[in-house]
Amino acid sequence: MEKRMHRSAQLLRLFGSMLVISACTFGGGFVIVSLMKKKFVDEYGWLSESEMLDYTALAQSCPGAIAVNAAILVGWRVGGAAGMLAAVLGTVLPPLGILTVITMFYSAFAGNPHVAMLLSGMQAGVAAVLCDVVLSMGRGVLSQRSAIKNAVMVAAFLAVAVAGVSVAWVIAGAALLGALLQMITRKEAGA
Amino acid sequence: MILLELFGAFFEIALFSIGGGYAAMPLIRSQVVQAHGWMTMSEFADLLTIAEMTPGPIQLNAATFAGMRVAGFPGALCASLGVVTPSLVLVSLLAYLYRRYKSLSLIQGVLGFLRPAVVALIASAGLSVLLLVLFDGQRITMANLDGLGAGLFLLALFLLRRRKMSPIAVMLLCGALSLAAGVLFGAG
């Protein structure tokens, strides 16, 4: 009975921690993962630092939201299926709640001319943020000096922006190419 | 039926978005604006603004926003469920494979080629937001150029890249300047 209490207390703590982290984290998956490390590795000692590093790599490699992926891995490690559920719920509820409220306001206020001015100015800011992301990430790709990767980048842009190819096909094509080339280089290295 | 469509659209978005929030953005646009017509390009740009300003992963923010607008709270729930489902399956599978083989070289090979494609996709989605800001969704001519939008964009880019200001601060500043200009000069 006492052990049961302890377990449900741990699940509650897992859920509560993810709820707070998810509700207070601006700026995407990497920020959330570093906060999770602080809480679960440094404060609670539920998993080791190297485990958390592996989980971060896995969360980034999997499709989907990085924060959700990391919550699944940590939740499973800490409390099995119930832990996974508690962690995922904690991650999902804040954005669900916050955006539900904002959407209600959005529908009511989007027609207001002052709100429209504010939003259109902020759109210019978003365009600049995206431009900044592309410049930084693009420089990262170019610095690898791989002709194939540069060609993939140009071809993907033309396919989507000019030819109107579906985004999912471009992702699948690039992934397949990467897998094939990796297998070929592996074979050559082995031979 | 619409609930199932929402679930499916966001399932697909989550399934193909690898490598963080910005990678999901072009997929959200292609599903929500192009394939289903649940939002206009301008509403999508507002969604990006809101997602950037609020905590939480962009996929979940977008799912709630689109779901609420199309089918109310049940829509938001179904779309969010669509975001989480591929992760539940694939993360468990990958974690199992990882524990078993302790090698990620094939996955890393795939990721190495996804990155340039993802950069290109973000560039393409960013370009459509930029065109919206510069030309208000009209034809691309000098006469249609929105001077205020162009000025704010250049200012924001300067502050982000040279001054390393935080994106949220830059966006708030742009919003405030646009509002001030609108009130002072009665533009728009």
Side-chain angles (χ1 to χ4, degrees), chain A residues 22-30 32 54-55 57-58 60-69 72-73 76 84 88 91-92 95-104 106-107 110 113-139 141 144 146 148-150 152-154 156-157 160-161 166-168 170-172 174-179 181-183 186, chain B residues 12 14-20 22 25-27 29-30 42-43 45-50 52-57 59-61 64-65 68-69 73 76-77 80 83-84 87-88 90-92 94-95 98-99 102-127 129-130 132-133 149 152-153 156-157 160-161 167-168 170-172 174-176 178-179 182-183 187:
Chain A
S22 176
C24 302
T25 313
F26 296 84
F30 301 102
I32 288 197
D54 283 352
Y55 287 170
L58 280 173
Q60 281 171 253
S61 320
C62 279
I66 293 178
V68 174
N69 294 348
I72 290 171
L73 290 164
W76 185 270
M84 184 171 85
V88 170
T91 312
V92 171
L96 188 65
I98 292 168
L99 262 287
T100 299
V101 174
I102 286 181
T103 311
M104 290 161 149
Y106 176 81
S107 306
H114 291 102
V115 175
M117 285 174 210
L118 192 73
L119 280 173
S120 86
M122 283 163 77
Q123 280 179 8
V126 172
V129 170
L130 295 181
C131 194
D132 181 44
V133 169
V134 168
L135 288 174
S136 313
M137 286 179 77
R139 187 181 289 170
V141 172
Q144 296 176 18
S146 152
I148 310 180
K149 285 183 184 172
N150 294 346
V152 166
M153 190 155 70
V154 174
F157 181 78
V160 172
S166 142
V167 174
V170 173
I171 296 273
L176 199 66
L177 185 66
L181 287 174
Q182 182 75 21
M183 282 194 262
R186 229 200 214 164
Chain B
E12 196 179 320
L15 188 62
F16 285 102
S17 62
I18 306 179
Y22 289 112
M25 210 186 54
L27 285 149
R29 184 182 69 130
S30 91
S42 170
E43 286 171 326
D46 286 343
L47 164 65
L48 289 185
T49 310
I50 292 167
E52 192 85 12
M53 302 284 308
T54 50
Q59 294 97 326
L60 285 172
N61 289 339
T64 308
F65 188 79
M68 276 292 285
R69 305 213 66 207
F73 192 69
L77 266 184
S80 296
V83 171
V84 177
S87 288
L88 283 175
L90 291 169
V91 171
S92 317
L94 201 65
Y98 175 64
R99 250 173 243 137
K102 287 278 176 197
S103 157
L104 290 172
S105 82
L106 189 65
I107 298 166
Q108 268 150 8
V110 171
L111 287 179
F113 274 84
L114 277 179
R115 181 160 271 253
V118 165
V119 173
L121 296 178
I122 299 171
S124 139
L127 187 66
V129 177
L130 184 60
L132 185 76
V133 167
L152 286 176
F153 169 75
L157 196 61
L160 284 168
R161 292 202 61 83
I168 294 179
V170 169
M171 283 168 31
L172 283 176
C174 286
S178 160
L179 181 62
V183 170

